[in-house]
Amino acid sequence: MNKTIGDVHIAGSLTTDDWNKFRATLVPGGDPAIWNKAFEDYFHTRLSLRYLAPIKVLQDNGTFQGEGFSIAAIQCSIVEFLESTVQGKSYRFRPKGSPPLTQHEYSSSSDIFVSFLISRTPFRNDFKTEIAARDFYEGVRCGLLHEARTKKGWTIWAQSGDGKTADSNQKVMYRDDFQTALLRFVDWYKGALPADKTLQEAFIRKFDSLCL
C-alpha cells in the first residue's frame, strides 16, 4: 500500500499528520509544559529510537573489535541533527543551476558540524579551534560515512580516562566519552527549549522540514 506524506513516521509512532496537529499548539514564548511535551514526544523520541538506543545496544554488547566504527558513524549523524535543530536549518542538496539556498537551508554539512564542536558544551572544551574541528570532520566524519574508515591519522578508542571526547593533537576520538557528552548536550537542550523563544522557533522550522 502506498503511503502519503501524512503517514510518514517522524518520531516513533507519531506521523507527519500528528505533527501538523500538534504544531498548532506550539507558540514561541508560550506554555513551557507544551514545549516539554514537544521535546519528549518528538525530539527525544526520534533521537532515542533512531540513534541513542542503537548506540546503547552496541556499547552493551561490544567486544572492542570494531564496533567503535559503527558507534562513531552514528554519533557523527547525531551531531549534524543536533546542530541543525538548534539552528532550525534543513539540508538541501543543491546541484548546479538550482535555486539559491534560503535563510534556513544549508548544503554543506561541514559548517554545521564544525559549529557544533567549537560552540557547544562540553565539546568546545576539546575542540578549541576551527582547524581542529575541521580536521575531525574530514578525518572521522567524512572518513567513516564515505569510506567506512578513519583518515588523516585519526583513531577511535573507547574511553579517555578523564572524560575527554577527543584529543585533536593525538588525533584520537573517545567514542564512549563522546556519547556521554552528547547526552549532556541533550539534557541541556531539554532544559533550554521550554524557555528559549529562539530555540523554539528553530525547533518548529526543523520539524516542519522533516515533514515535507
Side-chain angles (χ1 to χ4, degrees), residues 104-138:
H104 300 300
E105 290 182 320
Y106 70 97
S107 62
S108 172
S109 297
S110 61
D111 289 344
I112 291 288
F113 200 98
V114 168
S115 173
F116 182 85
L117 294 182
I118 65 176
S119 63
R120 308 300 176 188
T121 303
F123 297 91
R124 63 182 181 182
N125 298 329
D126 301 321
F127 295 93
K128 299 183 186 303
T129 67
E130 182 176 332
I131 292 175
R134 288 195 181 277
D135 193 62
F136 180 88
Y137 171 82
E138 295 168 6

mmCIF file of all heavy atoms in Angstrom, residues 104-138:
data_model
loop_
_atom_site.group_PDB
_atom_site.id
_atom_site.type_symbol
_atom_site.label_atom_id
_atom_site.label_comp_id
_atom_site.label_asym_id
_atom_site.label_seq_id
_atom_site.Cartn_x
_atom_site.Cartn_y
_atom_site.Cartn_z
ATOM 1 N N HIS A 104 17.231 29.555 5.913
ATOM 2 C CA HIS A 104 17.268 28.439 6.862
ATOM 3 C C HIS A 104 17.562 27.101 6.188
ATOM 4 O O HIS A 104 17.112 26.053 6.637
ATOM 5 C CB HIS A 104 15.958 28.372 7.640
ATOM 6 C CG HIS A 104 15.668 29.615 8.419
ATOM 7 N ND1 HIS A 104 16.504 30.078 9.407
ATOM 8 C CD2 HIS A 104 14.634 30.501 8.338
ATOM 9 C CE1 HIS A 104 16.000 31.195 9.914
ATOM 10 N NE2 HIS A 104 14.885 31.473 9.284
ATOM 11 N N GLU A 105 18.348 27.150 5.119
ATOM 12 C CA GLU A 105 18.801 25.941 4.449
ATOM 13 C C GLU A 105 20.329 25.921 4.419
ATOM 14 O O GLU A 105 20.980 26.967 4.502
ATOM 15 C CB GLU A 105 18.281 25.884 3.009
ATOM 16 C CG GLU A 105 16.781 25.657 2.886
ATOM 17 C CD GLU A 105 16.344 25.570 1.438
ATOM 18 O OE1 GLU A 105 16.865 26.365 0.613
ATOM 19 O OE2 GLU A 105 15.488 24.729 1.131
ATOM 20 N N TYR A 106 20.886 24.719 4.302
ATOM 21 C CA TYR A 106 22.324 24.585 4.114
ATOM 22 C C TYR A 106 22.581 23.427 3.162
ATOM 23 O O TYR A 106 21.769 22.501 3.049
ATOM 24 C CB TYR A 106 23.050 24.384 5.443
ATOM 25 C CG TYR A 106 22.807 23.045 6.116
ATOM 26 C CD1 TYR A 106 23.705 21.994 5.983
ATOM 27 C CD2 TYR A 106 21.679 22.840 6.913
ATOM 28 C CE1 TYR A 106 23.491 20.772 6.597
ATOM 29 C CE2 TYR A 106 21.457 21.625 7.546
ATOM 30 C CZ TYR A 106 22.367 20.594 7.397
ATOM 31 O OH TYR A 106 22.148 19.384 8.015
ATOM 32 N N SER A 107 23.685 23.481 2.474
ATOM 33 C CA SER A 107 24.018 22.415 1.533
ATOM 34 C C SER A 107 25.379 21.800 1.831
ATOM 35 O O SER A 107 25.781 20.846 1.177
ATOM 36 C CB SER A 107 24.015 22.950 0.093
ATOM 37 O OG SER A 107 24.995 23.965 -0.067
ATOM 38 N N SER A 108 26.070 22.337 2.816
ATOM 39 C CA SER A 108 27.365 21.793 3.217
ATOM 40 C C SER A 108 27.309 21.414 4.685
ATOM 41 O O SER A 108 27.049 22.256 5.546
ATOM 42 C CB SER A 108 28.477 22.824 2.986
ATOM 43 O OG SER A 108 29.697 22.368 3.534
ATOM 44 N N SER A 109 27.556 20.143 4.974
ATOM 45 C CA SER A 109 27.492 19.669 6.353
ATOM 46 C C SER A 109 28.655 20.178 7.200
ATOM 47 O O SER A 109 28.545 20.235 8.423
ATOM 48 C CB SER A 109 27.496 18.136 6.382
ATOM 49 O OG SER A 109 26.370 17.611 5.742
ATOM 50 N N SER A 110 29.749 20.537 6.575
ATOM 51 C CA SER A 110 30.956 20.852 7.337
ATOM 52 C C SER A 110 30.762 22.019 8.288
ATOM 53 O O SER A 110 31.166 21.959 9.455
ATOM 54 C CB SER A 110 32.125 21.130 6.386
ATOM 55 O OG SER A 110 31.850 22.232 5.546
ATOM 56 N N ASP A 111 30.119 23.091 7.827
ATOM 57 C CA ASP A 111 29.949 24.253 8.690
ATOM 58 C C ASP A 111 29.041 23.944 9.875
ATOM 59 O O ASP A 111 29.291 24.408 10.999
ATOM 60 C CB ASP A 111 29.377 25.431 7.899
ATOM 61 C CG ASP A 111 30.380 26.018 6.920
ATOM 62 O OD1 ASP A 111 31.592 25.724 7.054
ATOM 63 O OD2 ASP A 111 29.968 26.766 6.013
ATOM 64 N N ILE A 112 27.984 23.176 9.644
ATOM 65 C CA ILE A 112 27.074 22.783 10.724
ATOM 66 C C ILE A 112 27.824 21.916 11.739
ATOM 67 O O ILE A 112 27.733 22.116 12.955
ATOM 68 C CB ILE A 112 25.867 22.000 10.161
ATOM 69 C CG1 ILE A 112 24.959 22.925 9.345
ATOM 70 C CG2 ILE A 112 25.081 21.324 11.273
ATOM 71 C CD1 ILE A 112 24.157 23.901 10.150
ATOM 72 N N PHE A 113 28.573 20.963 11.248
ATOM 73 C CA PHE A 113 29.314 20.039 12.099
ATOM 74 C C PHE A 113 30.352 20.780 12.937
ATOM 75 O O PHE A 113 30.443 20.597 14.164
ATOM 76 C CB PHE A 113 29.987 18.986 11.225
ATOM 77 C CG PHE A 113 30.374 17.729 11.949
ATOM 78 C CD1 PHE A 113 29.561 16.620 11.905
ATOM 79 C CD2 PHE A 113 31.564 17.656 12.651
ATOM 80 C CE1 PHE A 113 29.918 15.440 12.562
ATOM 81 C CE2 PHE A 113 31.929 16.494 13.308
ATOM 82 C CZ PHE A 113 31.111 15.377 13.267
ATOM 83 N N VAL A 114 31.120 21.627 12.295
ATOM 84 C CA VAL A 114 32.176 22.371 12.982
ATOM 85 C C VAL A 114 31.579 23.328 14.007
ATOM 86 O O VAL A 114 32.109 23.485 15.114
ATOM 87 C CB VAL A 114 33.053 23.119 11.960
ATOM 88 C CG1 VAL A 114 33.969 24.117 12.657
ATOM 89 C CG2 VAL A 114 33.867 22.123 11.145
ATOM 90 N N SER A 115 30.475 23.961 13.661
ATOM 91 C CA SER A 115 29.816 24.877 14.590
ATOM 92 C C SER A 115 29.465 24.172 15.891
ATOM 93 O O SER A 115 29.646 24.723 16.986
ATOM 94 C CB SER A 115 28.551 25.461 13.953
ATOM 95 O OG SER A 115 27.820 26.230 14.886
ATOM 96 N N PHE A 116 28.970 22.948 15.783
ATOM 97 C CA PHE A 116 28.616 22.192 16.989
ATOM 98 C C PHE A 116 29.848 21.943 17.856
ATOM 99 O O PHE A 116 29.827 22.174 19.071
ATOM 100 C CB PHE A 116 27.976 20.863 16.593
ATOM 101 C CG PHE A 116 27.524 20.030 17.767
ATOM 102 C CD1 PHE A 116 26.279 20.234 18.337
ATOM 103 C CD2 PHE A 116 28.345 19.041 18.292
ATOM 104 C CE1 PHE A 116 25.853 19.473 19.417
ATOM 105 C CE2 PHE A 116 27.937 18.266 19.372
ATOM 106 C CZ PHE A 116 26.682 18.487 19.931
ATOM 107 N N LEU A 117 30.913 21.472 17.253
ATOM 108 C CA LEU A 117 32.101 21.097 18.025
ATOM 109 C C LEU A 117 32.762 22.272 18.726
ATOM 110 O O LEU A 117 33.253 22.140 19.850
ATOM 111 C CB LEU A 117 33.118 20.398 17.123
ATOM 112 C CG LEU A 117 32.709 19.033 16.558
ATOM 113 C CD1 LEU A 117 33.853 18.466 15.722
ATOM 114 C CD2 LEU A 117 32.320 18.056 17.658
ATOM 115 N N ILE A 118 32.790 23.428 18.075
ATOM 116 C CA ILE A 118 33.527 24.556 18.665
ATOM 117 C C ILE A 118 32.657 25.475 19.515
ATOM 118 O O ILE A 118 33.187 26.346 20.216
ATOM 119 C CB ILE A 118 34.244 25.391 17.580
ATOM 120 C CG1 ILE A 118 33.248 26.068 16.645
ATOM 121 C CG2 ILE A 118 35.232 24.528 16.811
ATOM 122 C CD1 ILE A 118 33.905 26.994 15.615
ATOM 123 N N SER A 119 31.335 25.276 19.503
ATOM 124 C CA SER A 119 30.480 26.202 20.252
ATOM 125 C C SER A 119 29.599 25.550 21.304
ATOM 126 O O SER A 119 29.055 26.245 22.166
ATOM 127 C CB SER A 119 29.594 27.006 19.290
ATOM 128 O OG SER A 119 28.707 26.155 18.583
ATOM 129 N N ARG A 120 29.456 24.229 21.277
ATOM 130 C CA ARG A 120 28.540 23.565 22.203
ATOM 131 C C ARG A 120 29.303 22.865 23.325
ATOM 132 O O ARG A 120 30.256 22.130 23.079
ATOM 133 C CB ARG A 120 27.670 22.537 21.468
ATOM 134 C CG ARG A 120 26.961 23.082 20.243
ATOM 135 C CD ARG A 120 26.040 24.231 20.567
ATOM 136 N NE ARG A 120 25.454 24.800 19.339
ATOM 137 C CZ ARG A 120 24.730 25.903 19.312
ATOM 138 N NH1 ARG A 120 24.479 26.575 20.426
ATOM 139 N NH2 ARG A 120 24.234 26.354 18.164
ATOM 140 N N THR A 121 28.861 23.115 24.552
ATOM 141 C CA THR A 121 29.436 22.450 25.716
ATOM 142 C C THR A 121 28.944 21.004 25.750
ATOM 143 O O THR A 121 27.769 20.756 25.479
ATOM 144 C CB THR A 121 28.994 23.187 27.000
ATOM 145 O OG1 THR A 121 29.398 24.551 26.914
ATOM 146 C CG2 THR A 121 29.593 22.561 28.249
ATOM 147 N N PRO A 122 29.831 20.055 26.100
ATOM 148 C CA PRO A 122 31.228 20.194 26.525
ATOM 149 C C PRO A 122 32.247 20.032 25.400
ATOM 150 O O PRO A 122 33.447 20.032 25.652
ATOM 151 C CB PRO A 122 31.376 19.055 27.534
ATOM 152 C CG PRO A 122 30.517 17.967 26.975
ATOM 153 C CD PRO A 122 29.332 18.677 26.352
ATOM 154 N N PHE A 123 31.798 19.912 24.157
ATOM 155 C CA PHE A 123 32.704 19.625 23.048
ATOM 156 C C PHE A 123 33.718 20.744 22.820
ATOM 157 O O PHE A 123 34.866 20.483 22.454
ATOM 158 C CB PHE A 123 31.900 19.357 21.767
ATOM 159 C CG PHE A 123 31.018 18.157 21.886
ATOM 160 C CD1 PHE A 123 29.709 18.273 22.334
ATOM 161 C CD2 PHE A 123 31.498 16.897 21.579
ATOM 162 C CE1 PHE A 123 28.901 17.157 22.467
ATOM 163 C CE2 PHE A 123 30.700 15.771 21.704
ATOM 164 C CZ PHE A 123 29.400 15.904 22.158
ATOM 165 N N ARG A 124 33.283 21.976 23.043
ATOM 166 C CA ARG A 124 34.189 23.100 22.774
ATOM 167 C C ARG A 124 35.409 23.079 23.692
ATOM 168 O O ARG A 124 36.419 23.737 23.398
ATOM 169 C CB ARG A 124 33.441 24.418 22.917
ATOM 170 C CG ARG A 124 32.913 24.710 24.314
ATOM 171 C CD ARG A 124 32.146 26.005 24.315
ATOM 172 N NE ARG A 124 31.640 26.345 25.631
ATOM 173 C CZ ARG A 124 30.905 27.422 25.894
ATOM 174 N NH1 ARG A 124 30.602 28.253 24.914
ATOM 175 N NH2 ARG A 124 30.480 27.667 27.119
ATOM 176 N N ASN A 125 35.333 22.329 24.795
ATOM 177 C CA ASN A 125 36.499 22.200 25.670
ATOM 178 C C ASN A 125 37.597 21.365 25.027
ATOM 179 O O ASN A 125 38.770 21.512 25.370
ATOM 180 C CB ASN A 125 36.088 21.556 26.995
ATOM 181 C CG ASN A 125 35.083 22.384 27.768
ATOM 182 O OD1 ASN A 125 35.078 23.606 27.697
ATOM 183 N ND2 ASN A 125 34.202 21.712 28.498
ATOM 184 N N ASP A 126 37.208 20.477 24.110
ATOM 185 C CA ASP A 126 38.174 19.587 23.459
ATOM 186 C C ASP A 126 38.509 20.002 22.036
ATOM 187 O O ASP A 126 39.567 19.647 21.510
ATOM 188 C CB ASP A 126 37.641 18.155 23.455
ATOM 189 C CG ASP A 126 37.382 17.631 24.863
ATOM 190 O OD1 ASP A 126 38.187 17.933 25.761
ATOM 191 O OD2 ASP A 126 36.367 16.939 25.059
ATOM 192 N N PHE A 127 37.600 20.747 21.404
ATOM 193 C CA PHE A 127 37.847 21.271 20.058
ATOM 194 C C PHE A 127 37.951 22.787 20.160
ATOM 195 O O PHE A 127 36.978 23.507 19.977
ATOM 196 C CB PHE A 127 36.719 20.853 19.111
ATOM 197 C CG PHE A 127 36.629 19.377 18.884
ATOM 198 C CD1 PHE A 127 35.795 18.587 19.665
ATOM 199 C CD2 PHE A 127 37.387 18.764 17.890
ATOM 200 C CE1 PHE A 127 35.713 17.221 19.460
ATOM 201 C CE2 PHE A 127 37.309 17.391 17.678
ATOM 202 C CZ PHE A 127 36.474 16.617 18.469
ATOM 203 N N LYS A 128 39.138 23.246 20.480
ATOM 204 C CA LYS A 128 39.311 24.654 20.820
ATOM 205 C C LYS A 128 39.472 25.552 19.597
ATOM 206 O O LYS A 128 39.384 26.767 19.705
ATOM 207 C CB LYS A 128 40.520 24.816 21.753
ATOM 208 C CG LYS A 128 40.367 24.056 23.071
ATOM 209 C CD LYS A 128 41.549 24.307 23.982
ATOM 210 C CE LYS A 128 41.487 23.443 25.225
ATOM 211 N NZ LYS A 128 40.248 23.621 25.991
ATOM 212 N N THR A 129 39.723 24.972 18.440
ATOM 213 C CA THR A 129 39.912 25.765 17.236
ATOM 214 C C THR A 129 39.095 25.189 16.092
ATOM 215 O O THR A 129 38.775 23.986 16.076
ATOM 216 C CB THR A 129 41.389 25.811 16.805
ATOM 217 O OG1 THR A 129 41.792 24.504 16.380
ATOM 218 C CG2 THR A 129 42.276 26.281 17.957
ATOM 219 N N GLU A 130 38.796 26.032 15.131
ATOM 220 C CA GLU A 130 38.079 25.570 13.947
ATOM 221 C C GLU A 130 38.930 24.580 13.161
ATOM 222 O O GLU A 130 38.403 23.623 12.568
ATOM 223 C CB GLU A 130 37.696 26.758 13.060
ATOM 224 C CG GLU A 130 36.903 26.352 11.834
ATOM 225 C CD GLU A 130 36.438 27.543 11.006
ATOM 226 O OE1 GLU A 130 36.247 28.633 11.580
ATOM 227 O OE2 GLU A 130 36.264 27.360 9.791
ATOM 228 N N ILE A 131 40.242 24.795 13.167
ATOM 229 C CA ILE A 131 41.140 23.885 12.454
ATOM 230 C C ILE A 131 41.020 22.473 13.013
ATOM 231 O O ILE A 131 40.931 21.488 12.261
ATOM 232 C CB ILE A 131 42.595 24.388 12.544
ATOM 233 C CG1 ILE A 131 42.759 25.682 11.739
ATOM 234 C CG2 ILE A 131 43.563 23.317 12.041
ATOM 235 C CD1 ILE A 131 44.123 26.316 11.874
ATOM 236 N N ALA A 132 41.006 22.353 14.334
ATOM 237 C CA ALA A 132 40.893 21.033 14.973
ATOM 238 C C ALA A 132 39.550 20.393 14.658
ATOM 239 O O ALA A 132 39.470 19.190 14.377
ATOM 240 C CB ALA A 132 41.075 21.166 16.486
ATOM 241 N N ALA A 133 38.490 21.183 14.698
ATOM 242 C CA ALA A 133 37.149 20.660 14.423
ATOM 243 C C ALA A 133 37.026 20.201 12.973
ATOM 244 O O ALA A 133 36.429 19.151 12.695
ATOM 245 C CB ALA A 133 36.101 21.716 14.739
ATOM 246 N N ARG A 134 37.579 20.972 12.039
ATOM 247 C CA ARG A 134 37.501 20.585 10.632
ATOM 248 C C ARG A 134 38.350 19.347 10.352
ATOM 249 O O ARG A 134 38.000 18.515 9.503
ATOM 250 C CB ARG A 134 37.922 21.745 9.730
ATOM 251 C CG ARG A 134 36.896 22.852 9.679
ATOM 252 C CD ARG A 134 37.101 23.830 8.544
ATOM 253 N NE ARG A 134 36.075 24.862 8.597
ATOM 254 C CZ ARG A 134 34.850 24.722 8.102
ATOM 255 N NH1 ARG A 134 34.506 23.594 7.486
ATOM 256 N NH2 ARG A 134 33.970 25.702 8.199
ATOM 257 N N ASP A 135 39.460 19.217 11.042
ATOM 258 C CA ASP A 135 40.285 18.026 10.860
ATOM 259 C C ASP A 135 39.523 16.787 11.326
ATOM 260 O O ASP A 135 39.583 15.728 10.674
ATOM 261 C CB ASP A 135 41.584 18.173 11.654
ATOM 262 C CG ASP A 135 42.616 17.134 11.257
ATOM 263 O OD1 ASP A 135 43.032 17.122 10.082
ATOM 264 O OD2 ASP A 135 42.998 16.314 12.115
ATOM 265 N N PHE A 136 38.780 16.910 12.419
ATOM 266 C CA PHE A 136 37.950 15.808 12.899
ATOM 267 C C PHE A 136 36.831 15.513 11.905
ATOM 268 O O PHE A 136 36.547 14.351 11.604
ATOM 269 C CB PHE A 136 37.357 16.171 14.259
ATOM 270 C CG PHE A 136 36.470 15.105 14.853
ATOM 271 C CD1 PHE A 136 37.009 14.093 15.630
ATOM 272 C CD2 PHE A 136 35.101 15.132 14.648
ATOM 273 C CE1 PHE A 136 36.195 13.106 16.182
ATOM 274 C CE2 PHE A 136 34.278 14.158 15.191
ATOM 275 C CZ PHE A 136 34.829 13.141 15.959
ATOM 276 N N TYR A 137 36.212 16.565 11.399
ATOM 277 C CA TYR A 137 35.136 16.389 10.412
ATOM 278 C C TYR A 137 35.641 15.623 9.197
ATOM 279 O O TYR A 137 35.002 14.667 8.734
ATOM 280 C CB TYR A 137 34.609 17.762 9.977
ATOM 281 C CG TYR A 137 33.649 17.695 8.813
ATOM 282 C CD1 TYR A 137 32.302 17.383 9.008
ATOM 283 C CD2 TYR A 137 34.075 17.944 7.506
ATOM 284 C CE1 TYR A 137 31.420 17.310 7.939
ATOM 285 C CE2 TYR A 137 33.201 17.875 6.436
ATOM 286 C CZ TYR A 137 31.874 17.563 6.654
ATOM 287 O OH TYR A 137 31.003 17.481 5.591
ATOM 288 N N GLU A 138 36.792 16.015 8.689
ATOM 289 C CA GLU A 138 37.327 15.379 7.488
ATOM 290 C C GLU A 138 37.853 13.971 7.774
ATOM 291 O O GLU A 138 37.621 13.040 6.994
ATOM 292 C CB GLU A 138 38.439 16.245 6.902
ATOM 293 C CG GLU A 138 37.944 17.596 6.388
ATOM 294 C CD GLU A 138 39.080 18.562 6.076
ATOM 295 O OE1 GLU A 138 40.258 18.126 6.155
ATOM 296 O OE2 GLU A 138 38.796 19.728 5.756
#
